[in-house]
Amino acid sequence: MKTYREVEDLTPVTKESILNDMFGKYPKLLDYLRAKKFCDWPASKAHHGAEWGGLFKHSLQVTYELQKLTSNLNLQWERQDSPVIVGMLHDVCKLDDYIVLPFGETPDEPDIITNKEKQFPGHGEKSLIMLMGLIDLTDEEKMCIRYHMGAFTDSKEWEYYSRAVEDYPNVLYTHTADMIASQVKGI
């Protein structure tokens, strides 16, 4: 498994090369991510990654953190590429969450508004729905993507989250990697 570095300044060519490296063996997924401008999209409207390219930066940082946790804690995965697949695809839902209006005063500050005509509700489950037919995910990957928000999910879902962690401990580490990237590193 190739290990990715912590996020640095990424050129469009570098982003495309990384995306190709990660998902070249999944051409349908790669075409989808390109068509949806995954490398350019923001990760949020007003929180971490609220910038042009923020979704890619955040996803790459989560991938890096998840790979680091996997190496340091000797985590075992059903598939060797799972940390990359989970890290990069956990927030695919955001490709439908926002609309980017023409740029504001500088190209680095797009005007981001909430998409009021979203096709699907939710977050983790929405990412899974959007990925259906694009890549075959293992059950472990599905649980990691579905519950990557950890206890930040609705309290009605805590029972299911706890069960997912019991069955697939990497769910907890996926949430941890996401929190390190977003809350500790601000990416």
Side-chain angles (χ1 to χ4, degrees):
M1 169 174 57
K2 182 173 179 179
T3 302
Y4 294 90
R5 298 178 308 171
E6 222 169 331
V7 172
E8 301 169 356
D9 288 331
L10 300 166
T11 67
V13 173
T14 305
K15 289 180 192 178
E16 183 63 29
S17 174
I18 291 169
L19 207 58
N20 256 341
D21 183 49
M22 291 177 166
F23 299 119
K25 61 185 168 187
Y26 308 104
K28 198 171 182 180
L29 173 65
L30 188 56
D31 289 345
Y32 174 82
L33 295 174
R34 285 180 179 143
K36 291 289 190 175
K37 300 188 183 293
F38 180 79
C39 290
D40 299 328
W41 215 244
S44 70
K45 181 178 170 184
H47 302 290
H48 68 87
E51 63 184 356
W52 197 239
L55 179 57
F56 184 85
K57 287 180 188 177
H58 169 70
S59 299
L60 189 59
Q61 188 69 40
V62 171
T63 299
Y64 169 77
E65 299 300 340
L66 196 51
Q67 287 183 318
K68 197 161 75 169
L69 288 169
T70 296
S71 176
N72 291 346
L73 300 175
N74 196 30
L75 303 180
Q76 301 301 307
W77 293 85
E78 289 178 19
R79 177 171 26 190
Q80 184 181 6
D81 291 340
S82 290
V84 171
I85 291 167
V86 169
M88 289 302 290
L89 302 177
H90 74 284
D91 273 345
V92 161
C93 58
K94 294 181 178 187
L95 292 171
D96 183 51
D97 283 351
Y98 308 109
I99 295 172
V100 179
L101 299 174
F103 291 111
E105 293 180 22
T106 70
D108 293 334
E109 297 176 12
D111 291 324
I112 304 166
I113 62 172
T114 301
N115 181 4
K116 295 184 192 285
E117 296 181 14
K118 295 177 190 178
Q119 292 182 320
F120 305 105
H123 192 79
E125 68 273 27
K126 180 179 177 177
S127 288
L128 292 176
I129 291 168
M130 292 173 71
L131 291 167
M132 286 179 8
L134 300 174
I135 184 172
D136 288 326
L137 298 170
T138 66
D139 287 343
E140 179 182 50
E141 291 164 347
K142 290 174 189 174
M143 291 297 108
C144 288
I145 291 171
R146 170 62 182 90
Y147 292 107
H148 76 269
M149 293 296 293
F152 287 100
T153 61
D154 188 302
S155 61
K156 295 174 197 162
E157 296 181 20
W158 288 352
E159 170 189 351
Y160 305 105
Y161 168 66
S162 292
R163 194 171 306 123
V165 171
E166 287 174 24
D167 293 343
Y168 302 100
N170 289 330
V171 168
L172 178 64
Y173 299 110
T174 299
H175 173 66
T176 302
D178 190 29
M179 294 303 290
I180 292 169
S182 63
Q183 304 304 311
V184 176
K185 300 209 171 168
I187 297 173

